[in-house]
Amino acid sequence: MEKIPLLVPLMPTTDQALPYFRQIDGNRHYTNFGPLSRELEQRIANDLSIPQAGVTTVSNCTVGLELALQARGLRAGANVLLPSLTFVATATAVSRVGLQPVIADIDEAGWSLTPAIARRAAELHRIDAVMPVATFGRPQDMAAWDDFERETGIPVIVDAAGAYGNQTAGSVADVVFSFHATKSFGAAEGGAVISPDAERIQHIRMLSNFGLDTRNGALTDLGTNGKMSEYHCALGLASFDMWERVKTDRRALYAGYMARLRSACPSLIFQEKPEDGVYPLMAVLLPQGRDATAVGSAVAANGVETRRWYTPALHQQPALRDCVVAGALDIATTLAGRIIGLPFFLGITDAQIDTVCSALARELDS
């Protein structure tokens, strides 16, 4: 029986990355914001239509979130609002820089923390910063979050780990991307912080180099080693060389897959998000009364690998049991056990998609 994997990363081949690796050989510069790092930042800036001064690379998205929070100058123990439905790194980033996660619910259609939810949460608890998440690659409304920050004075940092290609930059709020191999745009490991404040970007860059002021060697803040190596930047640049094709292929895959799922499994519920997005995965919501673990075990008999994405929800995680909760978490609780990740990767065949849809349909009809 054929096994259909959940994810198969698409990364540049050695031959595609070789010209950039040879540049590293010639430059003899391997990390510490070398020429390839600067070139990657410029290409990111061009892609997002922002100044290069608004971008810094980081070793990964989690470090980027930590440093973006630290650069906002929040008091020790400050409360950071985040959605219950997210990857655990959203919460660990908050805790590891000495801040307190405050867990909020999500909206039923987009499965995300919204400005309206954040405003209600701020009426119940002191909120010092907000970290919305581009859930499953669904972009956050940056105009709405920019307005939120302007109106409330509460800093906003968007965890857009899986949303490169979909998420826009803000005019006030910051955005952090992941370039992990499983994302639509990959560099094996790495990420980028985007900010409209060039001074904040310089602060984050310094924090990612231990907090050192390289002009005089003074330790001006307590940072970490969060730099993206030249080798990872080489992979990022090679990924940019094929980015237009990848976007086209991912959009076509998502559209075709969704059409098959809607036809074969009409009881499935789908996240409300742009149909032309560049998505890294396929997460769907099972109907009421169905459990993702049980359904995943059933379709595994047909060789279909699945995953329970973002579950348990944050408020159900043992290590986060003491976190403050801002209001009821009814939607996150209801959705968490029913979201299932299906095989989704460039190179999956129509026959494999049909197998996934058929196996899922048989289980949902049983």
Side-chain angles (χ1 to χ4, degrees), residues 217-285:
L219 183 66
T220 60
D221 207 341
L222 298 179
T224 188
N225 185 0
K227 302 179 293 293
M228 189 172 175
S229 79
E230 289 288 274
Y231 289 101
H232 289 96
C233 290
L235 290 171
L237 290 166
S239 283
F240 260 123
D241 291 342
M242 60 185 192
W243 183 225
E244 291 305 315
R245 177 177 60 82
V246 167
K247 287 192 290 185
T248 298
D249 291 348
R250 282 196 175 272
R251 286 170 176 145
L253 171 59
Y254 182 76
Y257 208 139
M258 285 291 287
R260 285 180 166 86
L261 281 171
R262 286 183 172 123
S263 175
C265 307
S267 64
L268 286 179
I269 302 162
F270 301 99
Q271 181 186 24
E272 184 181 277
K273 59 187 178 184
E275 291 283 323
D276 62 347
V278 185
Y279 298 115
L281 50 82
M282 176 65 74
V284 300
L285 182 65

Side-chain angles (χ1 to χ4, degrees), residues 279-299:
Y279 298 115
L281 50 82
M282 176 65 74
V284 300
L285 182 65
L286 299 172
Q288 285 278 6
R290 303 309 296 258
D291 176 73
T293 300
V295 170
S297 296
V299 300

Side-chain angles (χ1 to χ4, degrees), residues 46-65:
N46 293 346
D47 196 42
L48 295 173
S49 301
I50 60 173
Q52 184 176 355
V55 183
T56 185
T57 54
V58 285
S59 57
N60 57 66
C61 182
T62 306
V63 166
L65 294 172

Side-chain angles (χ1 to χ4, degrees), residues 17-353:
L18 192 57
Y20 298 105
F21 291 150
R22 284 181 170 149
Q23 285 187 46
I24 297 172
D25 292 342
N27 295 333
R28 302 292 294 273
H29 198 146
Y30 305 101
T31 186
N32 293 354
F33 312 112
L36 270 64
S37 174
R38 293 295 187 171
E39 184 179 350
L40 180 59
E41 289 171 353
Q42 183 63 67
R43 293 186 75 169
I44 294 167
N46 293 346
D47 196 42
L48 295 173
S49 301
I50 60 173
Q52 184 176 355
V55 183
T56 185
T57 54
V58 285
S59 57
N60 57 66
C61 182
T62 306
V63 166
L65 294 172
E66 293 175 5
L67 299 183
L69 282 166
Q70 192 174 350
R72 288 299 191 122
L74 301 168
R75 62 179 176 82
N79 292 331
V80 181
L81 189 72
L82 55 154
S84 186
L85 189 72
T86 182
F87 185 54
V88 294
T90 311
T92 62
V94 173
S95 296
R96 288 179 64 82
V97 290
L99 308 177
Q100 297 296 322
V102 176
I103 301 173
D105 209 355
I106 55 174
D107 73 305
E108 193 168 9
W111 309 351
S112 300
L113 175 63
T114 66
I117 294 172
R119 285 187 169 90
R120 291 197 295 270
E123 294 173 358
L124 300 173
H125 298 278
R126 172 171 173 163
I127 301 299
D128 301 295
V130 182
M131 189 175 284
V133 176
T135 313
F136 301 131
R138 177 187 186 268
Q140 283 283 344
D141 183 342
M142 290 311 296
W145 282 114
D146 286 337
D147 288 344
F148 175 91
E149 182 166 344
R150 289 190 190 99
E151 293 165 9
T152 66
I154 299 173
V156 175
I157 299 160
V158 176
D159 177 352
Y164 194 84
N166 302 327
Q167 183 63 62
T168 59
S171 60
V172 178
D174 299 335
V175 177
V176 185
F177 293 110
S178 171
F179 299 149
H180 189 270
T182 57
K183 302 300 187 279
S184 297
F185 179 92
E189 276 285 9
V193 183
I194 313 299
S195 178
D197 187 329
E199 290 187 8
R200 193 150 65 235
I201 287 293
Q202 285 303 311
H203 189 190
I204 293 167
R205 190 186 296 274
M206 181 189 69
L207 288 170
S208 74
N209 191 32
F210 307 98
L212 286 168
D213 184 337
T214 55
R215 295 170 299 183
N216 54 27
L219 183 66
T220 60
D221 207 341
L222 298 179
T224 188
N225 185 0
K227 302 179 293 293
M228 189 172 175
S229 79
E230 289 288 274
Y231 289 101
H232 289 96
C233 290
L235 290 171
L237 290 166
S239 283
F240 260 123
D241 291 342
M242 60 185 192
W243 183 225
E244 291 305 315
R245 177 177 60 82
V246 167
K247 287 192 290 185
T248 298
D249 291 348
R250 282 196 175 272
R251 286 170 176 145
L253 171 59
Y254 182 76
Y257 208 139
M258 285 291 287
R260 285 180 166 86
L261 281 171
R262 286 183 172 123
S263 175
C265 307
S267 64
L268 286 179
I269 302 162
F270 301 99
Q271 181 186 24
E272 184 181 277
K273 59 187 178 184
E275 291 283 323
D276 62 347
V278 185
Y279 298 115
L281 50 82
M282 176 65 74
V284 300
L285 182 65
L286 299 172
Q288 285 278 6
R290 303 309 296 258
D291 176 73
T293 300
V295 170
S297 296
V299 300
N302 296 95
V304 177
E305 183 182 2
T306 63
R307 183 171 298 172
R308 289 185 62 192
W309 293 113
Y310 294 177
T311 55
L314 293 188
H315 69 282
Q316 299 166 331
Q317 293 287 358
L320 302 173
R321 59 182 175 273
D322 295 330
C323 289
V324 172
V325 171
L329 300 175
D330 296 339
I331 297 172
T333 302
T334 299
L335 268 58
R338 294 161 47 210
I339 292 175
I340 189 169
L342 303 177
F344 187 83
F345 53 90
L346 291 183
I348 190 171
T349 66
D350 288 345
Q352 289 174 320
I353 294 173

